[in-house]
Amino acid sequence: MCILIFVGTNGETYFNTATLVSCVRNFPKSRGPVVGILKGFAGLGGAILTQIYAVIHSPDHASLIFMIAVAPAMVIIALMFIIRPVGGDKQVRPSDGLSFSCVYSICLILAAYLMGVMLVEDFIDVSQNVIIIFTVILFVILIIPIVIPIYLSFTQEPRVVPEEEALLSQSGDQGPGRSEHGDGQEIIFSEAEEEKSKGVDLLPALEKQKRIGQLQVRLAEGAVRIKRRRGPRRGEDFTLVQALIKADFWLMFFSLLFGSGSGLTVIDNLGQMSQSLGYENTHVFVSMISIWNFLGRIGGGYFSEIIVRDNAYPRHAAMAIAQVVMAFGHFFFAMGWPGAVYIGTLLVGLGYGAHWAIVPAAASELFGLKNFGALYNFLIIANPAGSLVFSGLIASSIYDMEAEKQAQQPHERRLMASVLTRFLNMDEPLKCEGTICFFLTSLIMSGLCIVAAVLSMILVYRTKTVYANLYGRSRT
């Protein structure tokens, strides 16, 4: 079983990396929406497969495992014959913005539909025919996005937009005023900006360009200063080793560790959390947090793209907002007020999902696309590491401690319990009831989210200039 889980989870990592790297390269000017949609469906996949399994309606769990093993492979094999490269990472369609908006709308419709179907199936005893109808409608909504590329293929030819290529030159090609020798030395022709006199800026545009051109010629002939490069700058292509010595990379890593780790702790323990607060249908909250997780990924990508495109501001500002939202969600879980589980599930699900739309896009912008696969897969180590520490150690230890306290009942209660009841329950794990079970854990998770938000804002402060250079020119 351990070997099968190892192969399965690493297989997921492989196609996760392949799809992210390919799509971010093909749509570099829409990184937020692309990552949000891809990671969103990764979060929604469980709810989709659950609905499909409801049609099978088999008590044999082997049917579910067989479906999960075979169905994704069949879909991939079927689609590999119709998916084609879009022409490299410099092809940008003018219709990209509208196309992604349409896909976003379909995603929101799909999430709302799945939420409604889950609630109906949980609270109403529906017949098998109704479940089949629900599933058929689900497939129709899933197929609708295919209409967009088919329509574009027949209505317009791919066209390169010159102004859209500015961002790509930052991470792959050398800048227009830069030349590099084979010995690793870099000639900076942009020093003409430093050598020109102050009066040049007051000249007409043509005369100014002529003067700067003359300065560049003189610099190239013999007055060029040469300096040796000391690694890439932020916004250029980094290797994993080069990124590991950068403070920005580790700020992003620990921000993801605290934020996503605390969110995954809720997901891992949501059944026990809702049970301790007196809810019986715990699977409803598990389904709900899957939907909120999906909407967080979709919304996080869209919202962060607005911050970047409209304001040329670092994408991690959206991350800080998501982490503050998660902190409030953990606080609601800690208080255990009536209905607080619904609010906490909403806030934590949205915030947790936003991490997986923002981090990949931000990593590709700060450290380039050339080695994006290695960089991204190192960053996501923060997710299982956070779960191991926060869920496996902190949450479980506190829960067991509170359960043991409740098990030590007063002497009068122990006398009232029958010998048979104690015998039947002696092998059952201890259970904790009440808000005290996860009170301290939730407060700790809330504090960790605040720390993560502070780290994200430090990263925002450090990378403001980078984003201004990457996106400021495209706005002007």
Side-chain angles (χ1 to χ4, degrees), residues 92 124 191 193 200 226 232 311 360-361 367 382 406 419 434:
V92 178
I124 301 176
E191 290 178 4
E193 293 292 330
V200 172
I226 299 178
N311 304 291
F367 303 105
Q406 293 184 3
V419 176

Side-chain angles (χ1 to χ4, degrees), residues 144-373:
I144 288 177
I146 300 179
V147 175
I148 297 174
I150 294 176
Y151 173 76
L152 293 177
S153 298
F154 286 101
T155 56
Q156 62 181 9
E157 293 295 327
R159 182 166 62 90
V160 177
V161 182
E163 62 268 20
E164 298 289 347
E165 299 180 10
L167 180 60
L168 292 169
S169 63
Q170 303 294 326
S171 59
D173 304 330
Q174 296 176 4
R178 184 179 300 165
S179 176
E180 189 172 318
H181 293 295
D183 58 357
Q185 291 179 332
E186 180 188 13
I187 300 177
I188 308 298
F189 290 106
S190 60
E191 290 178 4
E193 293 292 330
E194 301 176 2
E195 300 292 338
K196 69 182 181 181
S197 60
K198 297 181 180 179
V200 172
D201 291 328
L202 303 178
L203 296 174
L206 293 177
E207 184 65 22
K208 176 182 176 181
Q209 185 176 2
K210 181 179 178 181
R211 294 285 186 90
I212 293 178
Q214 293 173 350
L215 287 174
Q216 289 178 338
V217 171
R218 289 190 314 184
L219 289 170
E221 288 177 349
V224 177
R225 292 185 296 175
I226 299 178
K227 69 176 183 179
R228 187 170 300 276
R229 298 191 65 174
R230 296 183 179 179
R233 301 174 181 84
R234 288 177 294 187
E236 298 177 348
D237 288 323
F238 282 74
T239 64
L240 178 60
V241 175
Q242 291 170 334
L244 288 177
I245 61 175
K246 295 297 182 181
D248 294 336
F249 187 83
W250 289 107
L251 284 171
M252 190 182 301
F253 180 86
F254 283 105
S255 174
L256 181 63
L257 174 69
F258 295 143
S260 68
S262 65
L264 195 57
T265 300
V266 171
I267 296 175
D268 291 341
N269 298 276
L270 189 56
Q272 284 184 324
M273 295 175 74
S274 55
Q275 278 183 348
S276 64
L277 295 175
Y279 293 93
E280 295 182 358
N281 295 327
T282 58
H283 59 281
V284 174
F285 299 105
V286 177
S287 300
M288 287 178 62
I289 202 168
S290 176
I291 302 295
W292 302 135
N293 182 13
F294 167 77
L295 293 177
R297 299 181 187 216
I298 294 291
Y302 182 77
F303 180 63
S304 66
E305 196 70 15
I306 292 177
I307 292 177
V308 167
R309 293 293 166 195
D310 295 348
N311 304 291
Y313 204 69
R315 199 179 293 270
H316 264 74
M319 175 82 91
I321 295 174
Q323 288 160 345
V324 172
V325 168
M326 287 184 67
F328 280 104
H330 289 298
F331 179 77
F332 275 99
F333 277 119
M335 294 298 102
W337 296 319
V341 179
Y342 292 94
I343 301 176
T345 301
L346 168 65
L347 298 180
V348 172
L350 290 175
Y352 175 79
H355 283 72
W356 302 109
I358 298 172
V359 169
S364 67
E365 290 163 338
L366 294 178
F367 303 105
L369 290 171
K370 186 176 182 180
N371 301 289
F372 173 65

